[in-house]
C-alpha cells in the first residue's frame, strides 16, 4: 500500500494526537481516541497484513466449502488435530468469526481513514501554486541570465511557455515572478488506489454474502446428468444472504472426457490437458448446446460459472450375496491418493446383503505394477501411469454392522469398522482380492461373489455464483490506474522571476523543484534548459550561469 500523505503544510491535529493517550479519559474521549486509532493509516496497514496472514490457513488446510472430500480425508488422517482445527474454524477460514472481524475492521479503518482525506485532497487540488522563494538560485535546479527585454514581456512569455507544457500557472498583478506546478494529480492517484482497495473488499464481500459455491462428482455418460438445484450438490456453501431463487435452471451431462497424457521426457506420466465434453441446456426444454470444459476455461451461464477441477476413476463393482441376489452393482467413485499416477482409494458397501452386510475397502491401480527395491526384490504394488494401461482393484473384506442401520449420516468414502469384522484367511492373514476387469472372486463362508465389471470416469465439477466479481475486478483496475499514477506522475514546481537591474537590463531567474523522490537530476536540468530556451530573446540574451549543480 502506498503512502497516503496529502499535500499540506502540516498534519491535522487529529493525526498529531492519534497516538497520544491522556491519562484520564471519559467515555466520550475514550471513544474518540479509539476511533482515531482505528482510522489511522498505521492501523489500516496492520489490519491488511493481518488479513493476508489470516488467509494463509485457507490456502494450506482444505476448506469445507471448496473440497469437503479432502476435509473428510484430512480428519481421518489427523484424528487428534481435527477437533482443534474444528474449534478454530480452520476448515472454514473465510467464514469464521475471527476472519470476518479482521475484514470488517479493515473496511471501517479504510473508510474512516480515507473519506476525511477526500476533502483534504479537494482543497489541495484547488490550491494555487505557491509564491516563488526569495532566492531561486539556491534551489538545486536553477539558472539565470540577462536580457534587454522588459520584465513584463519575460513573465508573459514565461506564463505561455509553462502553460504549453501543461503546468498550472499563477500570475499576480504587481508580482515579479510566475509560479507553476505540474503533477498535482499524483496525490489523486494515491487516493484512487486506496479507494480501489475498498471497492475490491466490497466486491468480495458482496460475492460472499449473496453468492454460493458448490461441488458435485459426476460420472461420465448421458445417463448421468445434473440439474442446478440444491438436492443435486454433493457439497454446497451459500452466502449468508443467498436467495435460492437466483439459481439459473440449467442442466448438463458429461458425454465424454479426454486426457492428453505425456508419454516421453522427464514429465512422462503426467496429464497435459483435460477436456470434458458437456451437453447443456440453459432452461428446461431448451435447446441442447455443446461446450468443451477445460481447466481455467469455465462455462458461464447467466451469472453462474461451471469449472472443471478434478477427475478420477470409478470401478464398476457387482456384489452378489450368499443367496445369489445382486445387492450392489454399478460404478463406485474412488478418490485419487496420487495426483500423478491416479492410484485411488475407495469403499464399496452392500448393506442389504444376506446373511451379513458386506463392506469392501481397497485401492485401484490404473496401470498396475509391483515395485522393486535396489536388490530386485518385489515391494509394495503401485500404479506407474495415470491412464488405464493395466487396471486392477485390490480390496479387503469386512462383514457385520457397517454403521448404516442406526440411521446416522455416514460418508460413502469411509467404511465404519467399529462394529465390523475383517474376514481372514486360514493362515490368519487378511482376505484380499485382486481383480482385473471381468474377474470374479468367490467370498469365503458363503458370503457371495464380487465381480469387477469395468471402469468408468468421473469429473469433479465446481459451480459458483459470485455477483460481486465485476465490482472486485473494477476495483483492481482502479487500483492499477491509481498505482501507475502515483508511480509515474512526478509533481514538480517551477518559478520564473524577472527584475530590472540598475544597468537597464533584466535579470531572469528560472528554478525547478522536483517534489518526488528518485527523479533524475538530468531531466530537471533539461526541463529548465527548455524553459530558458523558450524565454531567451533572439538578441541580447547572454547566459550568465548554468544549473546550480555545475556551479561551485
Amino acid at each position: 500500500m502506498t503512502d497516503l500523505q496529502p499535500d499540506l503544510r502540516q498534519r491535522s491535529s487529529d493525526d498529531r494526537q492519534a497516538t497520544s493517550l491522556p491519562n484520564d479519559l471519559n467515555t466520550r474521549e475514550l471513544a474518540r481516541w479509539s476511533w482515531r486509532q482505528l482510522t489511522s493509516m498505521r492501523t489500516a496497514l496492520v489490519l491488511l497484513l493481518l488479513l493476508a496472514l489470516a488467509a494463509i490457513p485457507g490456502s494450506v488446510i482444505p476448506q469445507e466449502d471448496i473440497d469437503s472430500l479432502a476435509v473428510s480425508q484430512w480428519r481421518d488422517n489427523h484424528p487428534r488435530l481435527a477437533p482443534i482445527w474444528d474449534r478454530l474454524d480452520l476448515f472454514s477460514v473465510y467464514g469464521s468469526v475471527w476472519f470476518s472481524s479482521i475484514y470488517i475492521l479493515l473496511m471501517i479503518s479504510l473508510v474512516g481513514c480515507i473519506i476525511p482525506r477526500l476533502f483534504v485532497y479537494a482543497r489541495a487540488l484547488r490550491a494555487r501554486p505557491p509564491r516563488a522563494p526569495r532566492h531561486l538560485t539556491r534551489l538545486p535546479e536553477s539558472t539565470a541570465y540577462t536580457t534587454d527585454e522588459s520584465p513584463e514581456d519575460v513573465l508573459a512569455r514565461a506564463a505561455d511557455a509553462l502553460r504549453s507544457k501543461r503546468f498550472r500557472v499563477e500570475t499576480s498583478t504587481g508580482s515579479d515572478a510566475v509560479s507553476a506546478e505540474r503533477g498535482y494529480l499524483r496525490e489523486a492517484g494515491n487516493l484512487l488506489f486506496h479507494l480501489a482497495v475498498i471497492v475490491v473488499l466490497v466486491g468480495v464481500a458482496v460475492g460472499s454474502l449473496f453468492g454460493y459455491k458448490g461441488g458435485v462428482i459426476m460420472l461420465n455418460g448421458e445417463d448421468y446428468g445434473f440439474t442446478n438445484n440444491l438436492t443435486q450438490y454433493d457439497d454446497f456453501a451459500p452466502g449468508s444472504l443467498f436467495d435460492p431463487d437466483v439459481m439459473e435452471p440449467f442442466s448438463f451431462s458429461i458425454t465424454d472426457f479426454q486426457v492428453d497424457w505425456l508419454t516421453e521426457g522427464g514429465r512422462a506420466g503426467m496429464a497435459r490437458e483435460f477436456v470434458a465434453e458437456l451437453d447443456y441446456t440453459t432452461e428446461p426444454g431448451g435447446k441442447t448446446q455443446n461446450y468443451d470444459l477445460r481447466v481455467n476455461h469455465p462455462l458461464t451461464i447467466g451469472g453462474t460459472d461451471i469449472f472443471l477441477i478434478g477427475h478420477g476413476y470409478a470401478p464398476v463393482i457387482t456384489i452378489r450375496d450368499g443367496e445369489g441376489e445382486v445387492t450392489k452393482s454399478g460404478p463406485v467413485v474412488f478418490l485419487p491418493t496420487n495426483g500423478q499416477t491416479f492410484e485411488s482409494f475407495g469403499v464399496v458397501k452392500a448393506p442389504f446383503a444376506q446373511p451379513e452386510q458386506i463392506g469392501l475397502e481397497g485401492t485401484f491401480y490404473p496401470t498396475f505394477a509391483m515395485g522393486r527395491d535396489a536388490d530386485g526384490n518385489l515391494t509394495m504394488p503401485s500404479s506407474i501411469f495415470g491412464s488405464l494401461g493395466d487396471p486392477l482393484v485390490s480390496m479387503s473384506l469386512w462383514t457385520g454392522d457397517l454403521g448404516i442401520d442406526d440411521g446416522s449420516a455416514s460418508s460413502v468414502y469411509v467404511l465404519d469398522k467399529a462394529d465390523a469384522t475383517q474376514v481372514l484367511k486360514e493362515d490368519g492373514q487378511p482376505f484380499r482380492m485382486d481383480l482385473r476387469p471381468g474377474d470374479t472372486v468367490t467370498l469365503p463362508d458363503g458370503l457371495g461373489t464380487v465381480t469387477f465389471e469395468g471402469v468408468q470416469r468421473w469429473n469433479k465439477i465446481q459451480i459458483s455464483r459470485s455477483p460481486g466479481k465485476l465490482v472486485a475486478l473494477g476495483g483492481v483496475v482502479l487500483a492499477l490506474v491509481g498505482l501507475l499514477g502515483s508511480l509515474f506522475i512526478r509533481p514538480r514546481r517551477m518559478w520564473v522571476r524577472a527584475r530590472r537591474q540598475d544597468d537597464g537590463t533584466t535579470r531572469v531567474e528560472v528554478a525547478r523543484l522536483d517534489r518526488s523522490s528518485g527523479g533524475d537530476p538530468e531531466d530537471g536540468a533539461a526541463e529548465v534548459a527548455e524553459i530558458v530556451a523558450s524565454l531567451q530573446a533572439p538578441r541580447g540574451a547572454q547566459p550568465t550561469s548554468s544549473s546550480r549543480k555545475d556551479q561551485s
Side-chain angles (χ1 to χ4, degrees), residues 134-187:
R134 179 175 299 179
H135 303 288
L136 286 180
T137 55
R138 293 182 180 178
L139 293 177
E141 298 164 347
S142 63
T143 189
Y145 69 94
T146 59
T147 181
D148 293 335
E149 287 187 291
S150 66
E152 292 76 12
D153 291 340
V154 173
L155 295 178
R157 186 180 298 180
D160 292 339
L162 291 169
R163 288 193 182 97
S164 67
K165 293 183 175 296
R166 299 193 301 275
F167 277 83
R168 182 170 56 179
V169 178
E170 175 70 10
T171 58
S172 301
T173 304
S175 174
D176 61 354
V178 172
S179 303
E181 185 176 21
R182 183 179 176 183
Y184 47 85
L185 290 179
R186 181 180 186 178
E187 301 300 338

Side-chain angles (χ1 to χ4, degrees), residues 281-342:
T281 60
T282 58
E283 59 184 3
K287 180 181 178 181
T288 300
Q289 304 178 62
N290 308 109
Y291 186 81
D292 290 343
L293 190 65
R294 292 179 169 87
V295 177
N296 297 326
H297 291 79
L299 169 63
T300 300
I301 301 176
T304 305
D305 294 321
I306 302 172
F307 296 88
L308 173 64
I309 63 173
H311 67 101
Y313 294 103
V316 181
I317 305 295
T318 298
I319 299 178
R320 288 180 170 83
D321 62 12
E323 299 178 358
E325 299 293 333
V326 176
T327 60
K328 174 69 177 180
S329 182
V332 180
V333 172
F334 276 50
L335 302 178
T337 56
N338 186 309
Q340 182 172 346
T341 65
F342 280 84

Side-chain angles (χ1 to χ4, degrees), residues 99 103 198-210 468-469 471-472:
F99 188 88
Y103 197 96
I198 297 180
V199 173
V200 172
L201 294 176
V202 169
V204 174
V206 169
S208 299
L209 291 173
F210 296 94
K469 63 182 179 181
V471 176

Side-chain angles (χ1 to χ4, degrees), residues 22-86:
N23 294 328
D24 297 323
L25 293 177
N26 57 35
T27 302
R28 181 178 179 182
E29 291 170 340
L30 179 60
R32 185 177 181 184
W33 178 85
S34 301
W35 175 254
R36 287 173 179 167
Q37 295 298 311
L38 178 60
T39 57
S40 67
M41 185 53 64
R42 182 185 297 105
T43 302
L45 290 171
V46 171
L47 288 172
L48 189 60
L49 176 61
L50 287 177
L51 190 69
L53 294 176
I56 293 177
S59 303
V60 177
I61 301 173
Q63 298 297 289
E64 190 74 45
D65 58 348
I66 297 177
D67 194 346
S68 60
L69 301 180
V71 173
S72 63
Q73 288 181 334
W74 200 96
R75 286 194 173 103
D76 293 337
N77 296 332
H78 305 83
R80 294 185 178 180
L81 283 178
I84 301 175
W85 267 214
D86 280 322

